[in-house]
Amino acid sequence: MKYQKPKGTADILPPYSKEWQFVEQKARETFALYNYEEIRTPMFEKFEVFSRSAGDTSDIVTKEMYDFDDKGGRHIALRPEGTAGVVRAFVENKLYGPEHQKPVKVYYMGPMFRYERPQSGRLREFHQIGVEAFGSDSPKIDVDTITMAMDFLSQLKVAGLKLVINTLGDQASRQQYRQALIDYLEPYYDELSDDSKERLHKNPLRVLDSKDATDQEIVKDAPSILDYLTEDAQKHFAQVKEQLDALEIPYVVDSSMVRGLDYYNHTIFEIMVADSALGKGDVTICAGGRYNGLVQELGGPEVSGVGFGLGVERLLLLLNEQTQAALQASRLDFYVVGIGEAVQTETLKIVHELRKMNFVTEQDYLERKPKAQFKSADKLNARYVITVGEAEMQAHVFKLKEMATGTEKTLSLDELKDIKNDLK
């Protein structure tokens, strides 16, 4: 029988795995500058963790969740996104307690699962990097989160970034807007898609996010949430815009943007790129916002949160060719060639010492002749080749050849240690 990977998954093979390591390392470095620490949560949770957080009317819960009953009869779901599991961990481990410095700032990275149609940059098993900050109501943490996302993408040299922001207001704002939206949409009920009909009275904001062409035409003239903001919500959003202006971060306000999960309020944002490998027009590569009620929804106290998430597969499609070429290029400092069976232990010792000096080092494991070993060194683009024969072993030396110039010299291991900085 021939076995193949499941539909919607991918094998990450060398040298492309180096690109993944690069993205993950840049994330760790950037988030550390903002004083974020890593959190790791299970890949599966109780179904209710996601259904309560994402909302019963979201596509994730109604269409895309990988959920099942385990052998103990528990309703389990593979995580479709990172925030809900992090919030569950925040509540369960009482990170809201007074002994924890506020805001609690964490980041995560790892696989997520959604049953949707596989396409370029979107798989059923995909990988997400995200951050969450808990315990601050200040607009400054909103702006700090947006700034960190922009900094991270800039570190990856992603070109043509466009920041789009909106506010969903506080609870009073949303209640007023919710009713205004229902009043506007009800006359179009018969024309709405089946999904939007179902959402109309449960969560009418989700109709604004519909991908159905008729729905999109209907909501073009829908009322704007910006007209229903309370004074506090207006003040919060005004401060976000003022601080972005102060940092000279360009942005566009899009009052129709609502985000795909039901737990957002106040500031939401998306970072887009135009006409890229992901498609024509503006395509979102990073999204997030504030979710003041989610901790309470999952059994904790009323603690505010703000964060973002982005897909690694989609990011990798945006790495420029120079970056990809540099990452995929193999780096081998030394290849050690042993001539004769008697020197094999000696070559092993030399390889071990070179690795202790932080040199990437390789040797022959197939008991091949010297000519085949030299071919391997050349194919692996080794910077230096060390050759050890019985005569060299007896004299406690070896021949060192720089492949780019052909320069060759005889050295002892101690002499190599003395000049190791010159070789790096």
Side-chain angles (χ1 to χ4, degrees):
M1 179 181 288
K2 184 179 179 181
Y3 294 101
Q4 294 180 313
K5 62 184 179 294
K7 183 178 181 180
T9 65
D11 297 316
I12 303 167
L13 307 176
Y16 306 106
S17 53
K18 294 179 181 179
E19 297 178 16
W20 287 74
Q21 294 166 0
F22 171 72
V23 168
E24 291 165 356
Q25 182 59 30
K26 287 299 180 185
R28 296 181 192 280
E29 292 172 357
T30 304
F31 302 161
L33 293 175
Y34 286 76
N35 198 34
Y36 280 71
E37 296 183 292
E38 185 174 12
I39 186 171
R40 302 189 184 196
T41 62
M43 281 192 286
F44 60 89
E45 302 266 3
K46 289 183 178 179
F47 176 83
E48 290 76 17
V49 169
F50 303 114
S51 63
R52 288 182 69 89
S53 60
D56 291 334
T57 61
S58 69
D59 284 347
I60 287 178
V61 174
T62 59
K63 300 178 181 179
E64 300 169 0
M65 195 92 79
Y66 273 98
D67 63 301
F68 55 93
D69 290 336
D70 70 7
K71 292 182 179 180
R74 291 169 287 261
H75 195 183
I76 298 296
L78 299 181
R79 62 186 184 194
E81 54 90 27
T83 298
V86 172
V87 173
R88 191 270 312 149
F90 177 83
V91 172
E92 182 175 346
N93 294 283
K94 296 182 171 59
L95 299 184
Y96 50 78
E99 66 274 21
H100 296 285
Q101 182 67 34
K102 304 299 185 297
V104 174
K105 299 160 81 173
V106 296
Y107 71 87
Y108 60 86
M109 53 183 70
M112 312 289 163
F113 306 87
R114 294 185 191 179
Y115 191 84
E116 56 183 345
R117 184 174 64 85
Q119 52 187 295
S120 178
R122 288 188 183 277
L123 298 174
R124 290 176 175 173
E125 180 191 34
F126 62 100
H127 295 75
Q128 195 174 76
I129 293 174
V131 306
E132 316 293 347
F134 302 99
S136 172
D137 294 321
S138 171
K140 285 196 297 185
I141 197 71
D142 300 15
V143 174
D144 210 47
T145 304
I146 292 170
T147 303
M148 185 168 68
M150 296 290 284
D151 283 351
F152 170 51
L153 294 170
S154 296
Q155 286 292 316
L156 299 180
K157 296 182 172 58
V158 177
L161 297 176
K162 175 185 176 182
L163 172 63
V164 180
I165 65 172
N166 190 26
T167 178
L168 297 179
D170 51 22
Q171 187 173 4
S173 304
R174 287 180 68 128
Q175 282 299 110
Q176 293 182 61
Y177 181 58
R178 181 181 185 279
Q179 190 56 52
L181 198 54
I182 291 174
D183 292 343
Y184 171 80
L185 291 171
E186 278 186 331
Y188 297 98
Y189 181 83
D190 291 338
E191 301 171 48
L192 292 172
S193 65
D194 290 341
D195 284 343
S196 291
K197 287 177 181 176
E198 185 176 342
R199 292 166 175 164
L200 177 56
H201 291 96
K202 290 182 179 179
N203 189 350
L205 271 71
R206 298 290 295 116
V207 179
L208 299 177
D209 205 33
S210 171
K211 301 299 186 290
D212 181 85
T214 302
D215 291 348
Q216 290 176 352
E217 191 64 30
I218 290 171
V219 301
K220 275 184 179 179
D221 297 319
S224 167
I225 192 167
L226 300 180
D227 296 328
Y228 293 85
L229 298 178
T230 64
E231 186 175 342
D232 286 344
Q234 290 178 30
K235 182 179 178 182
H236 188 105
F237 194 46
Q239 290 180 343
V240 167
K241 292 185 288 184
E242 288 168 7
Q243 291 169 20
L244 288 172
D245 290 337
L247 295 175
E248 298 182 345
I249 299 176
Y251 61 87
V252 174
V253 176
D254 180 357
S255 62
S256 67
M257 182 172 68
V258 297
R259 300 293 305 120
L261 303 175
D262 290 357
Y263 50 61
Y264 287 104
N265 51 22
H266 281 298
T267 311
I268 58 173
F269 68 92
E270 296 187 10
I271 302 175
M272 305 175 175
V273 292
D275 299 331
S276 67
L278 297 174
K280 293 293 183 182
D282 290 336
V283 178
T284 300
I285 58 169
C286 174
R290 179 172 282 279
Y291 45 89
N292 287 15
L294 186 54
V295 173
Q296 192 173 40
E297 182 69 27
L298 291 183
E302 176 47 58
V303 176
S304 59
V306 60
F308 67 75
L310 45 82
V312 178
E313 285 85 353
R314 292 166 68 77
L315 270 185
L316 292 171
L317 293 174
L318 297 174
L319 293 183
N320 61 50
E321 292 180 3
Q322 292 87 349
T323 301
Q324 289 175 324
L327 292 171
Q328 291 178 22
S330 61
R331 172 185 168 257
L332 182 63
D333 295 320
F334 288 93
Y335 193 101
V336 180
V337 176
I339 302 176
E341 187 175 340
V343 305
Q344 296 310 306
T345 300
E346 185 67 19
T347 60
L348 193 65
K349 288 164 59 179
I350 293 172
V351 168
H352 181 65
E353 289 298 324
L354 288 169
R355 289 171 177 162
K356 285 170 64 176
M357 287 186 271
N358 291 322
F359 287 115
V360 181
T361 307
E362 189 56 280
Q363 62 180 325
D364 177 60
Y365 297 97
L366 304 178
E367 300 180 357
R368 293 176 296 182
K369 300 294 184 183
K371 184 177 180 180
Q373 294 183 53
F374 284 119
K375 281 186 177 180
S376 287
D378 191 52
K379 189 173 183 179
L380 291 170
N381 294 318
R383 293 177 62 206
Y384 300 94
V385 171
I386 283 178
T387 307
V388 184
E390 289 190 34
E392 287 80 17
M393 182 181 68
Q394 297 294 338
H396 301 291
V397 295
F398 50 76
K399 292 178 180 178
L400 174 70
K401 181 177 181 180
E402 184 175 5
M403 299 299 282
T405 63
T407 305
E408 192 170 271
K409 61 181 73 172
T410 300
L411 295 171
S412 69
L413 196 55
D414 287 337
E415 288 172 326
L416 181 67
K417 291 177 181 178
D418 290 338
I419 65 169
K420 68 178 183 178
N421 291 331
D422 297 330
L423 300 177
K424 290 184 176 180

PDB file of all heavy atoms in Angstrom, residues 232-259:
ATOM      1  N   ASP A 232     -17.279  56.951  25.700  1.00  0.00           N
ATOM      2  CA  ASP A 232     -16.064  56.233  26.110  1.00  0.00           C
ATOM      3  C   ASP A 232     -15.431  55.505  24.931  1.00  0.00           C
ATOM      4  O   ASP A 232     -14.200  55.488  24.783  1.00  0.00           O
ATOM      5  CB  ASP A 232     -16.390  55.232  27.218  1.00  0.00           C
ATOM      6  CG  ASP A 232     -16.641  55.912  28.554  1.00  0.00           C
ATOM      7  OD1 ASP A 232     -16.278  57.094  28.691  1.00  0.00           O
ATOM      8  OD2 ASP A 232     -17.204  55.249  29.456  1.00  0.00           O
ATOM      9  N   ALA A 233     -16.244  54.881  24.094  1.00  0.00           N
ATOM     10  CA  ALA A 233     -15.725  54.153  22.941  1.00  0.00           C
ATOM     11  C   ALA A 233     -15.090  55.111  21.934  1.00  0.00           C
ATOM     12  O   ALA A 233     -14.044  54.812  21.343  1.00  0.00           O
ATOM     13  CB  ALA A 233     -16.846  53.354  22.275  1.00  0.00           C
ATOM     14  N   GLN A 234     -15.720  56.264  21.740  1.00  0.00           N
ATOM     15  CA  GLN A 234     -15.141  57.274  20.846  1.00  0.00           C
ATOM     16  C   GLN A 234     -13.778  57.732  21.356  1.00  0.00           C
ATOM     17  O   GLN A 234     -12.820  57.875  20.588  1.00  0.00           O
ATOM     18  CB  GLN A 234     -16.079  58.480  20.733  1.00  0.00           C
ATOM     19  CG  GLN A 234     -17.365  58.219  19.969  1.00  0.00           C
ATOM     20  CD  GLN A 234     -18.261  59.449  19.942  1.00  0.00           C
ATOM     21  OE1 GLN A 234     -17.781  60.577  19.965  1.00  0.00           O
ATOM     22  NE2 GLN A 234     -19.563  59.226  19.900  1.00  0.00           N
ATOM     23  N   LYS A 235     -13.684  57.943  22.667  1.00  0.00           N
ATOM     24  CA  LYS A 235     -12.431  58.405  23.269  1.00  0.00           C
ATOM     25  C   LYS A 235     -11.330  57.357  23.098  1.00  0.00           C
ATOM     26  O   LYS A 235     -10.185  57.686  22.756  1.00  0.00           O
ATOM     27  CB  LYS A 235     -12.655  58.708  24.751  1.00  0.00           C
ATOM     28  CG  LYS A 235     -11.433  59.253  25.460  1.00  0.00           C
ATOM     29  CD  LYS A 235     -11.738  59.559  26.914  1.00  0.00           C
ATOM     30  CE  LYS A 235     -10.496  60.067  27.647  1.00  0.00           C
ATOM     31  NZ  LYS A 235     -10.782  60.329  29.090  1.00  0.00           N
ATOM     32  N   HIS A 236     -11.678  56.094  23.343  1.00  0.00           N
ATOM     33  CA  HIS A 236     -10.690  55.018  23.219  1.00  0.00           C
ATOM     34  C   HIS A 236     -10.142  54.964  21.793  1.00  0.00           C
ATOM     35  O   HIS A 236      -8.911  54.911  21.584  1.00  0.00           O
ATOM     36  CB  HIS A 236     -11.344  53.680  23.582  1.00  0.00           C
ATOM     37  CG  HIS A 236     -10.382  52.531  23.669  1.00  0.00           C
ATOM     38  ND1 HIS A 236      -9.966  51.999  24.860  1.00  0.00           N
ATOM     39  CD2 HIS A 236      -9.748  51.809  22.699  1.00  0.00           C
ATOM     40  CE1 HIS A 236      -9.120  50.999  24.633  1.00  0.00           C
ATOM     41  NE2 HIS A 236      -8.987  50.867  23.313  1.00  0.00           N
ATOM     42  N   PHE A 237     -11.019  54.990  20.811  1.00  0.00           N
ATOM     43  CA  PHE A 237     -10.595  54.892  19.409  1.00  0.00           C
ATOM     44  C   PHE A 237      -9.801  56.135  18.993  1.00  0.00           C
ATOM     45  O   PHE A 237      -8.811  56.023  18.254  1.00  0.00           O
ATOM     46  CB  PHE A 237     -11.812  54.695  18.515  1.00  0.00           C
ATOM     47  CG  PHE A 237     -11.473  54.248  17.116  1.00  0.00           C
ATOM     48  CD1 PHE A 237     -10.569  53.225  16.898  1.00  0.00           C
ATOM     49  CD2 PHE A 237     -12.092  54.835  16.017  1.00  0.00           C
ATOM     50  CE1 PHE A 237     -10.263  52.801  15.608  1.00  0.00           C
ATOM     51  CE2 PHE A 237     -11.788  54.415  14.729  1.00  0.00           C
ATOM     52  CZ  PHE A 237     -10.878  53.399  14.522  1.00  0.00           C
ATOM     53  N   ALA A 238     -10.211  57.298  19.471  1.00  0.00           N
ATOM     54  CA  ALA A 238      -9.487  58.532  19.148  1.00  0.00           C
ATOM     55  C   ALA A 238      -8.055  58.466  19.667  1.00  0.00           C
ATOM     56  O   ALA A 238      -7.109  58.887  18.980  1.00  0.00           O
ATOM     57  CB  ALA A 238     -10.212  59.739  19.742  1.00  0.00           C
ATOM     58  N   GLN A 239      -7.871  57.912  20.862  1.00  0.00           N
ATOM     59  CA  GLN A 239      -6.523  57.807  21.425  1.00  0.00           C
ATOM     60  C   GLN A 239      -5.667  56.814  20.643  1.00  0.00           C
ATOM     61  O   GLN A 239      -4.463  57.034  20.458  1.00  0.00           O
ATOM     62  CB  GLN A 239      -6.602  57.415  22.900  1.00  0.00           C
ATOM     63  CG  GLN A 239      -7.146  58.525  23.792  1.00  0.00           C
ATOM     64  CD  GLN A 239      -7.218  58.117  25.253  1.00  0.00           C
ATOM     65  OE1 GLN A 239      -7.164  56.926  25.575  1.00  0.00           O
ATOM     66  NE2 GLN A 239      -7.357  59.089  26.129  1.00  0.00           N
ATOM     67  N   VAL A 240      -6.277  55.734  20.184  1.00  0.00           N
ATOM     68  CA  VAL A 240      -5.539  54.779  19.351  1.00  0.00           C
ATOM     69  C   VAL A 240      -5.024  55.479  18.100  1.00  0.00           C
ATOM     70  O   VAL A 240      -3.846  55.343  17.730  1.00  0.00           O
ATOM     71  CB  VAL A 240      -6.433  53.576  18.975  1.00  0.00           C
ATOM     72  CG1 VAL A 240      -5.793  52.740  17.865  1.00  0.00           C
ATOM     73  CG2 VAL A 240      -6.704  52.713  20.188  1.00  0.00           C
ATOM     74  N   LYS A 241      -5.887  56.240  17.434  1.00  0.00           N
ATOM     75  CA  LYS A 241      -5.475  56.922  16.205  1.00  0.00           C
ATOM     76  C   LYS A 241      -4.419  57.984  16.485  1.00  0.00           C
ATOM     77  O   LYS A 241      -3.451  58.124  15.717  1.00  0.00           O
ATOM     78  CB  LYS A 241      -6.710  57.546  15.536  1.00  0.00           C
ATOM     79  CG  LYS A 241      -7.682  56.502  14.981  1.00  0.00           C
ATOM     80  CD  LYS A 241      -8.832  57.139  14.221  1.00  0.00           C
ATOM     81  CE  LYS A 241      -9.794  57.838  15.159  1.00  0.00           C
ATOM     82  NZ  LYS A 241     -10.979  58.377  14.431  1.00  0.00           N
ATOM     83  N   GLU A 242      -4.577  58.725  17.587  1.00  0.00           N
ATOM     84  CA  GLU A 242      -3.594  59.750  17.932  1.00  0.00           C
ATOM     85  C   GLU A 242      -2.213  59.139  18.176  1.00  0.00           C
ATOM     86  O   GLU A 242      -1.186  59.692  17.750  1.00  0.00           O
ATOM     87  CB  GLU A 242      -4.050  60.509  19.185  1.00  0.00           C
ATOM     88  CG  GLU A 242      -5.226  61.440  18.952  1.00  0.00           C
ATOM     89  CD  GLU A 242      -5.820  61.942  20.267  1.00  0.00           C
ATOM     90  OE1 GLU A 242      -5.212  61.666  21.330  1.00  0.00           O
ATOM     91  OE2 GLU A 242      -6.875  62.595  20.230  1.00  0.00           O
ATOM     92  N   GLN A 243      -2.177  57.999  18.859  1.00  0.00           N
ATOM     93  CA  GLN A 243      -0.897  57.370  19.174  1.00  0.00           C
ATOM     94  C   GLN A 243      -0.246  56.759  17.936  1.00  0.00           C
ATOM     95  O   GLN A 243       0.981  56.789  17.777  1.00  0.00           O
ATOM     96  CB  GLN A 243      -1.094  56.331  20.276  1.00  0.00           C
ATOM     97  CG  GLN A 243      -1.437  56.961  21.624  1.00  0.00           C
ATOM     98  CD  GLN A 243      -1.897  55.964  22.658  1.00  0.00           C
ATOM     99  OE1 GLN A 243      -1.633  54.768  22.548  1.00  0.00           O
ATOM    100  NE2 GLN A 243      -2.610  56.443  23.671  1.00  0.00           N
ATOM    101  N   LEU A 244      -1.056  56.202  17.041  1.00  0.00           N
ATOM    102  CA  LEU A 244      -0.503  55.718  15.776  1.00  0.00           C
ATOM    103  C   LEU A 244       0.068  56.877  14.971  1.00  0.00           C
ATOM    104  O   LEU A 244       1.144  56.759  14.351  1.00  0.00           O
ATOM    105  CB  LEU A 244      -1.580  54.991  14.966  1.00  0.00           C
ATOM    106  CG  LEU A 244      -2.018  53.617  15.481  1.00  0.00           C
ATOM    107  CD1 LEU A 244      -3.222  53.112  14.695  1.00  0.00           C
ATOM    108  CD2 LEU A 244      -0.866  52.599  15.399  1.00  0.00           C
ATOM    109  N   ASP A 245      -0.632  58.007  14.981  1.00  0.00           N
ATOM    110  CA  ASP A 245      -0.125  59.201  14.298  1.00  0.00           C
ATOM    111  C   ASP A 245       1.198  59.652  14.910  1.00  0.00           C
ATOM    112  O   ASP A 245       2.143  60.012  14.184  1.00  0.00           O
ATOM    113  CB  ASP A 245      -1.143  60.343  14.385  1.00  0.00           C
ATOM    114  CG  ASP A 245      -2.392  60.091  13.541  1.00  0.00           C
ATOM    115  OD1 ASP A 245      -2.314  59.304  12.582  1.00  0.00           O
ATOM    116  OD2 ASP A 245      -3.445  60.674  13.866  1.00  0.00           O
ATOM    117  N   ALA A 246       1.283  59.618  16.244  1.00  0.00           N
ATOM    118  CA  ALA A 246       2.497  60.054  16.935  1.00  0.00           C
ATOM    119  C   ALA A 246       3.685  59.168  16.572  1.00  0.00           C
ATOM    120  O   ALA A 246       4.826  59.642  16.503  1.00  0.00           O
ATOM    121  CB  ALA A 246       2.273  60.047  18.438  1.00  0.00           C
ATOM    122  N   LEU A 247       3.418  57.872  16.341  1.00  0.00           N
ATOM    123  CA  LEU A 247       4.476  56.944  15.964  1.00  0.00           C
ATOM    124  C   LEU A 247       4.718  56.923  14.460  1.00  0.00           C
ATOM    125  O   LEU A 247       5.567  56.164  13.977  1.00  0.00           O
ATOM    126  CB  LEU A 247       4.116  55.532  16.446  1.00  0.00           C
ATOM    127  CG  LEU A 247       4.032  55.341  17.963  1.00  0.00           C
ATOM    128  CD1 LEU A 247       3.547  53.937  18.296  1.00  0.00           C
ATOM    129  CD2 LEU A 247       5.380  55.602  18.615  1.00  0.00           C
ATOM    130  N   GLU A 248       3.965  57.747  13.733  1.00  0.00           N
ATOM    131  CA  GLU A 248       4.076  57.857  12.273  1.00  0.00           C
ATOM    132  C   GLU A 248       3.846  56.506  11.592  1.00  0.00           C
ATOM    133  O   GLU A 248       4.557  56.123  10.663  1.00  0.00           O
ATOM    134  CB  GLU A 248       5.436  58.448  11.879  1.00  0.00           C
ATOM    135  CG  GLU A 248       5.650  59.860  12.416  1.00  0.00           C
ATOM    136  CD  GLU A 248       6.969  60.467  11.991  1.00  0.00           C
ATOM    137  OE1 GLU A 248       7.858  59.709  11.525  1.00  0.00           O
ATOM    138  OE2 GLU A 248       7.125  61.705  12.096  1.00  0.00           O
ATOM    139  N   ILE A 249       2.836  55.798  12.089  1.00  0.00           N
ATOM    140  CA  ILE A 249       2.420  54.544  11.474  1.00  0.00           C
ATOM    141  C   ILE A 249       1.160  54.808  10.656  1.00  0.00           C
ATOM    142  O   ILE A 249       0.099  55.090  11.218  1.00  0.00           O
ATOM    143  CB  ILE A 249       2.141  53.463  12.538  1.00  0.00           C
ATOM    144  CG1 ILE A 249       3.412  53.172  13.336  1.00  0.00           C
ATOM    145  CG2 ILE A 249       1.609  52.186  11.885  1.00  0.00           C
ATOM    146  CD1 ILE A 249       3.211  52.191  14.475  1.00  0.00           C
ATOM    147  N   PRO A 250       1.234  54.770   9.333  1.00  0.00           N
ATOM    148  CA  PRO A 250       0.047  55.046   8.508  1.00  0.00           C
ATOM    149  C   PRO A 250      -1.025  53.984   8.700  1.00  0.00           C
ATOM    150  O   PRO A 250      -0.721  52.811   8.927  1.00  0.00           O
ATOM    151  CB  PRO A 250       0.599  55.005   7.070  1.00  0.00           C
ATOM    152  CG  PRO A 250       2.090  55.059   7.203  1.00  0.00           C
ATOM    153  CD  PRO A 250       2.416  54.442   8.528  1.00  0.00           C
ATOM    154  N   TYR A 251      -2.279  54.393   8.599  1.00  0.00           N
ATOM    155  CA  TYR A 251      -3.389  53.467   8.746  1.00  0.00           C
ATOM    156  C   TYR A 251      -4.589  53.972   7.962  1.00  0.00           C
ATOM    157  O   TYR A 251      -4.679  55.147   7.601  1.00  0.00           O
ATOM    158  CB  TYR A 251      -3.766  53.288  10.219  1.00  0.00           C
ATOM    159  CG  TYR A 251      -4.217  54.566  10.893  1.00  0.00           C
ATOM    160  CD1 TYR A 251      -5.550  54.981  10.848  1.00  0.00           C
ATOM    161  CD2 TYR A 251      -3.299  55.379  11.561  1.00  0.00           C
ATOM    162  CE1 TYR A 251      -5.955  56.163  11.456  1.00  0.00           C
ATOM    163  CE2 TYR A 251      -3.694  56.559  12.158  1.00  0.00           C
ATOM    164  CZ  TYR A 251      -5.019  56.947  12.110  1.00  0.00           C
ATOM    165  OH  TYR A 251      -5.418  58.125  12.694  1.00  0.00           O
ATOM    166  N   VAL A 252      -5.533  53.051   7.717  1.00  0.00           N
ATOM    167  CA  VAL A 252      -6.810  53.368   7.075  1.00  0.00           C
ATOM    168  C   VAL A 252      -7.915  52.887   7.999  1.00  0.00           C
ATOM    169  O   VAL A 252      -7.818  51.782   8.551  1.00  0.00           O
ATOM    170  CB  VAL A 252      -6.926  52.669   5.699  1.00  0.00           C
ATOM    171  CG1 VAL A 252      -8.307  52.893   5.107  1.00  0.00           C
ATOM    172  CG2 VAL A 252      -5.842  53.157   4.755  1.00  0.00           C
ATOM    173  N   VAL A 253      -8.954  53.693   8.202  1.00  0.00           N
ATOM    174  CA  VAL A 253     -10.103  53.278   9.000  1.00  0.00           C
ATOM    175  C   VAL A 253     -11.154  52.668   8.070  1.00  0.00           C
ATOM    176  O   VAL A 253     -11.573  53.300   7.101  1.00  0.00           O
ATOM    177  CB  VAL A 253     -10.718  54.459   9.775  1.00  0.00           C
ATOM    178  CG1 VAL A 253     -11.971  54.008  10.531  1.00  0.00           C
ATOM    179  CG2 VAL A 253      -9.702  55.049  10.741  1.00  0.00           C
ATOM    180  N   ASP A 254     -11.550  51.433   8.350  1.00  0.00           N
ATOM    181  CA  ASP A 254     -12.580  50.744   7.567  1.00  0.00           C
ATOM    182  C   ASP A 254     -13.705  50.347   8.518  1.00  0.00           C
ATOM    183  O   ASP A 254     -13.601  49.372   9.258  1.00  0.00           O
ATOM    184  CB  ASP A 254     -11.991  49.510   6.892  1.00  0.00           C
ATOM    185  CG  ASP A 254     -13.018  48.748   6.049  1.00  0.00           C
ATOM    186  OD1 ASP A 254     -14.198  49.155   6.040  1.00  0.00           O
ATOM    187  OD2 ASP A 254     -12.649  47.733   5.436  1.00  0.00           O
ATOM    188  N   SER A 255     -14.796  51.090   8.498  1.00  0.00           N
ATOM    189  CA  SER A 255     -15.886  50.872   9.460  1.00  0.00           C
ATOM    190  C   SER A 255     -16.670  49.599   9.177  1.00  0.00           C
ATOM    191  O   SER A 255     -17.478  49.174  10.006  1.00  0.00           O
ATOM    192  CB  SER A 255     -16.842  52.071   9.452  1.00  0.00           C
ATOM    193  OG  SER A 255     -17.438  52.218   8.173  1.00  0.00           O
ATOM    194  N   SER A 256     -16.440  48.936   8.018  1.00  0.00           N
ATOM    195  CA  SER A 256     -17.164  47.699   7.703  1.00  0.00           C
ATOM    196  C   SER A 256     -16.421  46.457   8.182  1.00  0.00           C
ATOM    197  O   SER A 256     -16.955  45.351   8.124  1.00  0.00           O
ATOM    198  CB  SER A 256     -17.393  47.593   6.185  1.00  0.00           C
ATOM    199  OG  SER A 256     -16.164  47.425   5.500  1.00  0.00           O
ATOM    200  N   MET A 257     -15.205  46.616   8.657  1.00  0.00           N
ATOM    201  CA  MET A 257     -14.417  45.473   9.106  1.00  0.00           C
ATOM    202  C   MET A 257     -14.913  45.020  10.474  1.00  0.00           C
ATOM    203  O   MET A 257     -15.047  45.824  11.399  1.00  0.00           O
ATOM    204  CB  MET A 257     -12.934  45.851   9.185  1.00  0.00           C
ATOM    205  CG  MET A 257     -12.027  44.710   9.594  1.00  0.00           C
ATOM    206  SD  MET A 257     -10.274  45.155   9.446  1.00  0.00           S
ATOM    207  CE  MET A 257     -10.123  46.385  10.747  1.00  0.00           C
ATOM    208  N   VAL A 258     -15.208  43.713  10.625  1.00  0.00           N
ATOM    209  CA  VAL A 258     -15.751  43.216  11.890  1.00  0.00           C
ATOM    210  C   VAL A 258     -14.937  42.073  12.483  1.00  0.00           C
ATOM    211  O   VAL A 258     -15.099  41.745  13.639  1.00  0.00           O
ATOM    212  CB  VAL A 258     -17.219  42.755  11.722  1.00  0.00           C
ATOM    213  CG1 VAL A 258     -18.096  43.924  11.339  1.00  0.00           C
ATOM    214  CG2 VAL A 258     -17.331  41.618  10.715  1.00  0.00           C
ATOM    215  N   ARG A 259     -14.040  41.446  11.710  1.00  0.00           N
ATOM    216  CA  ARG A 259     -13.266  40.278  12.145  1.00  0.00           C
ATOM    217  C   ARG A 259     -14.157  39.033  12.224  1.00  0.00           C
ATOM    218  O   ARG A 259     -15.337  39.120  12.393  1.00  0.00           O
ATOM    219  CB  ARG A 259     -12.551  40.507  13.483  1.00  0.00           C
ATOM    220  CG  ARG A 259     -11.553  41.642  13.499  1.00  0.00           C
ATOM    221  CD  ARG A 259     -10.330  41.369  12.619  1.00  0.00           C
ATOM    222  NE  ARG A 259      -9.696  40.128  12.999  1.00  0.00           N
ATOM    223  CZ  ARG A 259      -9.539  39.085  12.179  1.00  0.00           C
ATOM    224  NH1 ARG A 259      -9.999  39.135  10.949  1.00  0.00           N
ATOM    225  NH2 ARG A 259      -8.938  37.996  12.576  1.00  0.00           N
TER     226      ARG A 259
END
